[in-house]
Amino acid sequence: MGASAALAVAAAPAQAARTIERGDHGDAVRALQRALGQPPDGAFGPGTKRAVVRFQRRHGLTADGVVGPSTWTAILAARKRHSPLRSASSRGTSARPRVAHRGPAVRTLQRKLGLGADGVFGPQTRAAVKRFQARHGLTADGVVGPATWTALGIGGHPPVLKADRAGGAATAPSGRGASGALQRAVAAANRIDPLPYKYGGGHRSFTDTGYDCSGSVSYVLHAAGLLRTPKDSSQLMSYGAPGRGRHITIYANPGHAYMTIDGRRFDTSGDAAGRWQSDLRSSAGYTVRHPPGY
């Protein structure tokens, strides 16, 4: 690749056609080893391969231990950022990368991908990221780490971007048909979304440190002006009017209650860290009710 280890790394993008792997020898191997904090003996052996695999995993690359164009590019980008390339095990400590699901970095990503820049890392953004990663030889996992940022042409220290399992907080509806009550319902749901599940939470008072399933539903309905006092799941079975609503629907049985707001499920039972869930669930066994007019 070059006459010296430093030049070998610096010239990596220009000579990316040269792939190195276990069994190779020379200056390119020594450059790689120095970048990864390995003894620079110039021989690509098992230890070097393990270090490469660790680097690839941390940077969202295919962890095959082969140093091709994507891995060289990620190494060069990390070198320019003065980022330590050694693994956590070789340093003893490791700073956790900042992770974001929404905000300015997401808008930057969306613009680069030609998407509407709403700043929320939702399913459409994740699908576009996976397509971009697949086209650029990256692990198509939908997570925007250093290698993906580099491929997008973004330097510096942007956060790792990923969709949270619930798809993030809901956006308050706007435009025609978006009543103040509906906007208040979404805002209330977002307020208690990160709060812990608490058995009986929200039943004695709408203000609590945590909420159970019916307490969560009651809180949202009360904030929207659609409920005066908290109800348990059995009481919610006779709340309002029967059937699904245009915007808000409550599903209740004697043991559990949840709701949907404009098609998004708000439920203490699910895979997400909060109450907003990314998918719907079967309504079998639930009484279906809605606030009249909603």
Side-chain angles (χ1 to χ4, degrees), residues 16-239:
R18 169 78 181 279
T19 296
I20 62 171
E21 56 190 312
R22 184 172 177 178
D24 287 342
H25 297 77
D27 286 341
V29 176
R30 275 187 282 274
L32 171 70
Q33 291 168 326
R34 289 192 177 97
L36 298 176
Q38 300 291 304
D41 60 7
F44 199 131
T48 300
K49 182 176 180 178
R50 285 193 296 270
V52 170
V53 168
R54 286 193 295 265
F55 177 85
Q56 290 170 325
R57 285 174 178 163
R58 291 200 309 275
H59 290 78
L61 301 161
T62 300
D64 56 5
V66 176
V67 183
S70 296
T71 301
W72 276 124
T73 300
I75 288 172
L76 180 64
R79 184 181 179 89
K80 286 182 177 178
R81 292 193 305 267
H82 303 289
S83 298
L85 303 185
R86 296 182 186 181
S87 67
S89 61
S90 67
R91 293 194 311 267
T93 59
S94 177
R96 296 187 66 181
R98 183 164 61 96
V99 177
H101 310 296
R102 57 181 52 241
V106 177
R107 283 192 287 273
T108 297
L109 167 70
Q110 290 168 328
R111 292 187 186 104
K112 283 286 186 179
L113 296 174
L115 303 174
D118 62 1
V120 178
F121 199 127
Q124 182 182 9
T125 300
R126 185 171 185 268
V129 168
K130 291 177 74 173
R131 289 193 297 270
F132 177 86
Q133 290 170 324
R135 290 197 304 269
H136 289 78
L138 304 169
T139 299
D141 57 4
V143 176
V144 183
T148 303
W149 279 121
T150 299
L152 286 163
I154 301 296
H157 300 274
V160 173
L161 300 181
K162 60 174 69 175
D164 64 16
R165 300 181 75 177
T171 302
S174 60
R176 186 177 180 181
S179 69
L182 190 57
Q183 292 175 330
R184 291 193 298 272
V186 172
N190 287 341
R191 277 197 301 274
I192 66 169
D193 178 42
L195 295 182
Y197 177 92
K198 177 182 175 182
Y199 181 75
H203 287 270
R204 290 188 177 184
S205 170
F206 285 114
T207 302
D208 211 332
T209 56
Y211 297 82
D212 65 9
C213 60
S214 55
S216 298
V217 173
S218 294
Y219 180 90
V220 172
L221 293 174
H222 173 70
L226 303 172
L227 184 68
R228 289 187 177 181
T229 58
K231 293 183 180 293
D232 62 27
S233 58
S234 295
Q235 293 169 326
L236 286 170
M237 292 174 67
S238 58
Y239 167 81

